[in-house]
Amino acid sequence: MKWENFRFALFEKAPEALWEHSLIVVITITLAILISVPLGIFLSRPKFKKFGLVTLNILNLLQAVPGIAVIALALPILGLGMEPAIVALMFQSLLPIVRNTIAGLLGVSSDVKEAASGMGMSQRRILIEVELPLAVPIILSGIRTATVYVVSMGTLASLIGAGGLGNLIMGGLSLFRPEYLLVGAGLGALMAIFLDRMINYLEQRITPPSMGAE
Amino acid sequence: MIELDQITKQYPGQAMPAVDKLFLSIPKGEICVLVGPSGCGKSTILRMINRMIEPTSGIVKINGDDVTRTDPDQLRMGIGYVIQQIGLLPHRTIAENIAVVPRLYKWPKGKINKRVDELIVMMGLDLEKTRGKYPAQLSGGQMQRVGVARAMAVDPPIMLMDEPFGAVDPIARTHLQDELLRLQKEIKKTIVFVTHDINEAIKMGDRIAIFDAGKLVQFGTPEEILTNPINEFVEDFIGRDRVVKKLNLYLAEDAMQPIGCVVKGNELHTVAQKMKDAHVRVAFLLNEEGKACGQITVSDTEEFGRDIEGLRKRVLRTEKAFVQTTTPFPDALSLLLEYDTDYLGILKGEELCGMLSFKGIRKHVYRKEGE
Amino acid sequence: MTLSDFTSFLMKNSKTIMEYSENHFTLVLLAVGISLAIWVPVGLLLTKSDKWAARVLALANTIFCIPSLSMFAILVTIPMFGLGRKSALLALVLYAMMPLIRSVYDGVKNVDRNVIEAARGMGMGTRRILIEILVPLGMPIIFAGFRITVVMTTGIAAIATYIGERNLGRFIQEGLIRSNTPMMVTGALIISAIAIGLDTILGLVEKRIVPKGLRISR
């Protein structure tokens, strides 16, 4: 290992890769949340229970598809670049958020809901003032799972020209430059762990003390 | 016989010992109830008998043998154990649940099956319907029956019961209590029974041990404890209504008085004279088959005089004002109040054998209280 | 790309597909086998100590966060491992740590404490309680962890192609490099089919594995 290579990887290559990677993660997760949470709310309403089961099963199947296969399938359909990668990753990060949104909302005890409606709250108000706040920690936990996943699969997105830390790793592998590998892989790992810890911290902060951690 | 000798249990990090230098001797073949407020150490004591918890110091002896000389698993196999939460194995059928300990003893299959059937019937459960069911398919009361059956599977001489009926609904609880008492008359086990409910303790216990903060406060028969609570704690614990509670300990026959006067249906016009001759204030009416069907008091005869039909109607109003010899005092009192009368006839089966009066009950309780 | 591209690719390369599939399955089988052998006992052991359980689970969680490509890349730079099967196996076993330990721990911890208390009170020994109660009652959760592990390992194994494994991931790798879409898509579809197939089959088993007494209610 040479310091020269290491320095180059860390200071010349990494900033751009890290920026691209962050962009992929943030955009993907934002889109995933915007789609999944409303979808989860919709599917948790009693009227759509049956529909919810079907949707969950489909998402479950999608989730079983390995990330590398998703990336590979995205290329011929969506083309090269960052946008196709984001769309592909987003599809796969829906499941944990949708699933947790439904679980969180259904997990609110019916006593609480009944009490709220007994006080004269409408279904809408109950959703906004009672169910969602109580479900937020669980929804966040789903977002955490999805985020870690997107950081991880984001490294493969470089295969279809999306850039990101994957570029450093792939470059390192093909040229066999361990310095590139360490910088790319290390930053990827740190990013995933950091986001995981951060969202986990949020979860803990937001959980009412009586409900306990996790 | 179970002896606890100088038993102390000190949990690490707690200032007070959970059980403090306890000496207790539990006689064979009796139900001994350990009772006290929560946290008084009663469950800990129970669990030290089968070594679920080991005492910090002191010796537990069963029939003179130190329990620490036996391997804990072996020891527990020989002692029935029933807990409030029952803890049936949810993935095993009722028959398999009851068969657990016989299986640990490696009984042959035929013997196990026979014993399981016997126990299911003994616990008043439907054999065919229950055998193959899973615990989740039973009600709480039924599950606890299975719990008790399971504990009795190998007919252990000792049974430990930790608030066994605490989680079932009140009606099922009464049934279970009654049935355990009925069973106990036949099986004569040494039963150590933990509860926080003093009423249950009075009902179930041949002997009651009252605990407070890890110490034995009073040990005696329910009557002794209700009659002479040793201190204010016990008095408070058994409640202001201790004398009323004591009524549960007595049966109609305890205060039975002889009957001075009975009349047949066609002798109603002579009843006033007959009572006067016998110097009694109440007479009982018998129907054609000789069955008691009501009572006549002196005031009834004065009220109706020659109106025999009116008197007959009045008498028939008390057609059901009778108790059995084994009826406990509270039920008898309830009937006395219901019929607004001073007397009740006592039946043994169908036959009139005596009577019970308000005064008699009062006298009986007063005499016992004075002892 | 059309269906005929797909079928002709399948026909022409059936031998390679077989070879890659075999390699793929061998790697997955080895990784899952080793993982079970290590993590199940560890999970069981952790149920004895809450303190250690928290520590080890936190570690497993952290490892699980590491992107798979990163993990392979890091292991490759370690001289003892380098390119090849050792690194691939180690990475897969490390990933399996989280789902397996977690599910064994949760499965056993989820068993009703009263059932264990009653069993102990009847004189069942630790071993018997483990075999007759904890394992069967914890099995649904444990098996769910196993299912996740198998499906996940199958997917990640494909990425090991970048550190020298010759398995189904190679079609994707080569297809990308040579801009051979049929090759890439076929590879992706085969892996997807295998993963979905395994997930579905194990999902069915998972439903059947729940002890009967827990499935039915009054």
Side-chain angles (χ1 to χ4, degrees):
Chain A
M1 264 190 252
K2 284 193 205 129
W3 169 245
E4 219 27 43
N5 288 340
F6 195 76
R7 203 187 56 85
F8 185 74
L10 191 58
F11 294 110
E12 305 292 326
K13 290 260 186 181
E16 197 194 343
L18 201 57
W19 165 247
E20 286 166 351
H21 211 90
S22 310
L23 214 58
I24 295 174
V25 171
V26 170
I27 296 175
T28 309
I29 288 300
T30 309
L31 287 175
I33 294 172
L34 287 179
I35 295 173
S36 308
V37 174
L39 186 62
I41 293 173
F42 175 71
L43 295 178
S44 72
R45 300 300 96 184
K47 275 182 261 175
F48 305 106
K49 222 171 199 173
K50 221 171 184 181
F51 191 58
L53 217 62
V54 176
T55 317
L56 270 184
N57 276 333
I58 294 172
L59 290 176
N60 248 326
L61 277 187
L62 274 180
Q63 188 75 4
V65 178
I68 188 166
V70 176
I71 297 287
L73 291 172
L75 174 61
I77 302 170
L78 302 161
L80 283 168
M82 194 185 271
E83 290 85 0
I86 287 175
V87 173
L89 291 178
M90 189 205 68
F91 264 105
Q92 280 227 298
S93 50
L94 294 178
L95 177 74
I97 311 179
V98 172
R99 195 172 46 196
N100 280 32
T101 305
I102 295 178
L105 289 174
L106 294 185
V108 175
S109 99
S110 51
D111 296 343
V112 176
K113 281 187 263 186
E114 211 162 286
S117 87
M119 287 185 286
M121 286 194 187
S122 66
Q123 289 303 310
R124 226 185 117 81
R125 275 187 89 84
I126 293 178
L127 175 67
I128 294 168
E129 292 195 23
V130 179
E131 291 179 85
L132 275 179
L134 286 172
V136 163
I138 299 171
I139 299 176
L140 262 182
S141 157
I143 293 175
R144 178 164 58 105
T145 309
T147 309
V148 170
Y149 178 83
V150 172
V151 175
S152 175
M153 286 308 144
T155 57
L156 295 172
S158 74
L159 293 176
I160 57 169
L165 293 168
N167 269 352
L168 269 172
I169 302 174
M170 289 303 174
L173 279 169
S174 53
L175 304 169
F176 206 75
R177 290 243 167 102
E179 301 86 353
Y180 282 34
L181 286 180
L182 278 181
V183 170
L187 285 175
L190 286 178
M191 186 170 175
I193 293 168
F194 169 74
L195 288 174
D196 177 71
R197 291 294 88 205
M198 194 186 81
I199 303 176
N200 188 44
Y201 175 76
L202 269 180
E203 273 170 53
Q204 312 268 340
R205 279 296 298 272
I206 226 166
T207 309
S210 59
M211 286 166 69
E214 300 217 11
Chain B
M1 184 153 87
I2 305 168
E3 286 168 294
L4 308 178
D5 193 359
Q6 289 287 97
I7 290 289
T8 297
K9 177 67 192 179
Q10 173 82 55
Y11 285 108
Q14 280 179 6
M16 298 284 290
V19 178
D20 196 8
K21 296 195 201 97
L22 171 69
F23 183 88
L24 185 67
S25 176
I26 298 167
K28 205 171 183 162
E30 285 190 359
I31 300 183
C32 174
V33 180
L34 314 183
V35 68
S38 60
C40 71
K42 54 193 191 294
S43 282
T44 308
I45 297 164
L46 184 88
R47 288 156 59 86
M48 284 192 287
I49 296 173
N50 67 349
R51 296 185 67 190
M52 296 291 279
I53 297 176
E54 302 284 3
T56 313
S57 64
I59 306 174
V60 178
K61 283 187 197 163
I62 293 178
N63 295 328
D65 296 329
D66 183 348
V67 290
T68 53
R69 294 225 191 101
T70 319
D71 167 74
D73 290 339
Q74 291 292 323
L75 177 78
R76 290 174 200 148
M77 277 161 65
I79 299 177
Y81 188 52
V82 184
I83 57 176
Q84 177 178 354
Q85 301 83 356
I86 315 173
L88 296 180
L89 309 185
H91 56 311
R92 300 279 175 82
T93 62
I94 299 310
E96 286 165 342
N97 264 288
I98 298 175
V100 168
V101 183
R103 213 161 39 79
L104 294 179
Y105 273 113
K106 301 199 171 64
W107 282 14
K109 251 212 167 102
K111 190 178 170 191
I112 294 182
N113 285 334
K114 219 181 115 211
R115 179 63 179 155
V116 167
D117 292 353
E118 201 176 292
L119 283 161
I120 292 177
V121 173
M122 190 159 126
M123 293 314 298
L125 294 165
D126 185 314
L127 180 61
E128 290 314 310
K129 279 191 194 149
T130 313
R131 225 179 181 285
K133 276 199 176 161
Y134 288 91
Q137 294 169 295
L138 302 186
S139 70
Q142 288 172 320
M143 272 199 260
Q144 195 52 289
R145 277 162 207 267
V146 177
V148 174
R150 179 173 71 171
M152 296 198 306
V154 293
D155 208 12
I158 296 173
M159 303 247 290
L160 306 178
M161 310 181 93
D162 193 349
E163 307 224 5
F165 310 138
V168 294
D169 65 86
I171 296 173
R173 185 183 315 148
T174 309
H175 276 179
L176 284 162
Q177 288 168 342
D178 292 343
E179 263 160 77
L180 182 64
L181 286 173
R182 182 179 57 75
L183 266 176
Q184 169 68 356
K185 280 199 183 129
E186 298 160 25
I187 57 183
K188 295 256 177 271
K189 307 247 176 240
T190 307
I191 299 178
V192 188
F193 191 109
V194 164
T195 179
H196 62 265
D197 176 0
I198 184 68
N199 293 315
E200 191 175 38
I202 293 167
K203 179 171 181 183
M204 303 305 291
D206 292 311
R207 249 163 250 269
I208 299 177
I210 301 184
F211 291 90
D212 181 33
K215 291 205 158 136
L216 178 63
V217 184
Q218 189 169 9
F219 185 46
T221 63
E223 199 171 354
E224 281 164 12
I225 285 177
L226 286 172
T227 310
N228 292 312
I230 199 167
N231 61 16
E232 214 165 300
F233 171 79
V234 175
E235 219 167 292
D236 274 355
F237 191 72
I238 57 189
R240 289 256 154 260
D241 59 341
R242 67 184 174 87
V243 181
V244 175
K245 284 199 175 104
K246 215 165 124 184
L247 295 176
N248 278 301
L249 302 173
Y250 307 126
L251 307 179
E253 60 186 357
D254 295 337
M256 187 159 73
Q257 295 160 263
I259 288 172
C261 183
V262 289
V263 292
K264 295 243 169 63
N266 52 11
E267 300 167 347
L268 264 183
H269 54 280
T270 64
V271 71
Q273 191 55 42
K274 275 192 169 171
M275 281 199 276
K276 208 171 184 183
D277 293 347
H279 300 288
V280 292
R281 301 198 59 77
V282 65
F284 289 87
L285 177 69
L286 300 182
N287 64 13
E288 289 82 59
E289 290 110 57
K291 268 176 68 184
C293 58
Q295 57 176 256
I296 312 121
T297 60
V298 171
S299 56
D300 289 339
T301 59
E302 281 162 4
E303 188 182 336
F304 288 97
R306 306 243 140 242
D307 178 9
I308 298 302
E309 279 320 297
L311 183 61
R312 188 184 303 277
K313 265 190 196 145
R314 163 63 60 92
V315 171
L316 288 178
R317 254 176 40 194
T318 55
E319 202 181 351
K320 296 225 167 68
F322 292 90
V323 291
Q324 289 289 325
T325 48
T326 53
T327 305
F329 273 11
D331 297 10
L333 279 169
S334 165
L335 274 181
L336 282 170
L337 294 171
E338 187 181 336
Y339 288 103
D340 188 21
T341 155
D342 290 321
Y343 307 96
L344 289 175
I346 301 178
L347 304 174
K348 188 160 196 162
E350 298 268 283
E351 197 191 336
L352 185 67
C353 64
M355 66 175 196
L356 185 66
S357 67
F358 249 130
K359 215 170 158 188
I361 289 177
R362 223 167 59 204
K363 256 190 180 158
H364 185 76
V365 172
Y366 180 74
R367 206 180 62 226
K368 288 287 179 181
E369 184 73 350
E371 261 169 16
Chain C
M1 174 179 167
T2 60
L3 194 65
S4 64
D5 288 343
F6 181 65
T7 43
S8 74
F9 182 88
L10 281 180
M11 302 292 258
K12 273 191 226 152
N13 298 281
S14 59
K15 239 184 113 186
T16 328
I17 293 174
M18 285 307 289
E19 185 202 331
Y20 287 177
S21 301
E22 202 184 309
N23 283 337
H24 205 116
F25 276 118
T26 318
L27 179 63
V28 171
L29 224 64
L30 267 175
V32 172
I34 295 171
S35 301
L36 284 175
I38 301 174
W39 303 131
V40 172
V42 170
L44 287 176
L45 220 60
L46 289 180
T47 57
K48 301 266 177 203
S49 157
D50 289 350
K51 203 169 74 182
W52 276 100
R55 288 177 187 164
V56 174
L57 283 173
L59 174 69
N61 253 327
T62 308
I63 292 176
F64 196 72
C65 283
I66 299 173
S68 26
L69 194 60
S70 292
M71 176 82 92
F72 286 124
I74 293 169
L75 290 178
V76 162
T77 60
I78 300 172
M80 245 181 75
F81 296 101
L83 285 171
R85 178 145 288 187
K86 267 197 223 157
S87 295
L89 265 182
L90 180 63
L92 293 176
V93 170
L94 284 175
Y95 277 120
M97 182 178 182
M98 209 286 275
L100 283 182
I101 291 188
R102 167 116 258 171
S103 62
V104 169
Y105 180 81
D106 284 351
V108 168
K109 280 280 175 180
N110 258 344
V111 175
D112 185 352
R113 289 199 39 168
N114 295 309
V115 173
I116 303 167
E117 156 93 10
R120 229 160 62 82
M122 286 189 289
M124 276 200 185
T126 315
R127 254 181 82 90
R128 228 176 227 285
I129 290 179
L130 181 70
I131 296 167
E132 291 196 19
I133 299 177
L134 296 180
V135 169
L137 288 182
M139 199 39 103
I141 298 179
I142 298 174
F143 194 86
F146 172 72
R147 174 185 171 195
I148 292 172
T149 306
V150 171
V151 175
M152 180 189 72
T153 306
T154 308
I156 299 178
I159 302 171
T161 188
Y162 284 95
I163 59 165
E165 277 289 325
R166 294 174 59 81
N167 62 27
L168 293 168
R170 182 131 304 196
F171 286 126
I172 298 175
Q173 186 193 14
E174 297 266 303
L176 275 164
I177 294 170
R178 295 196 235 145
S179 299
N180 183 341
T181 309
M183 179 189 255
M184 187 180 72
V185 172
T186 311
L189 287 178
I190 294 175
I191 298 174
S192 305
I194 292 173
I196 291 177
L198 281 172
D199 188 52
T200 311
I201 293 168
L202 293 177
L204 290 176
V205 177
E206 194 180 317
K207 279 195 190 114
R208 308 232 13 205
I209 214 166
V210 181
K212 199 175 162 209
L214 299 184
R215 258 182 287 152
I216 45 179
S217 60
R218 248 178 320 146

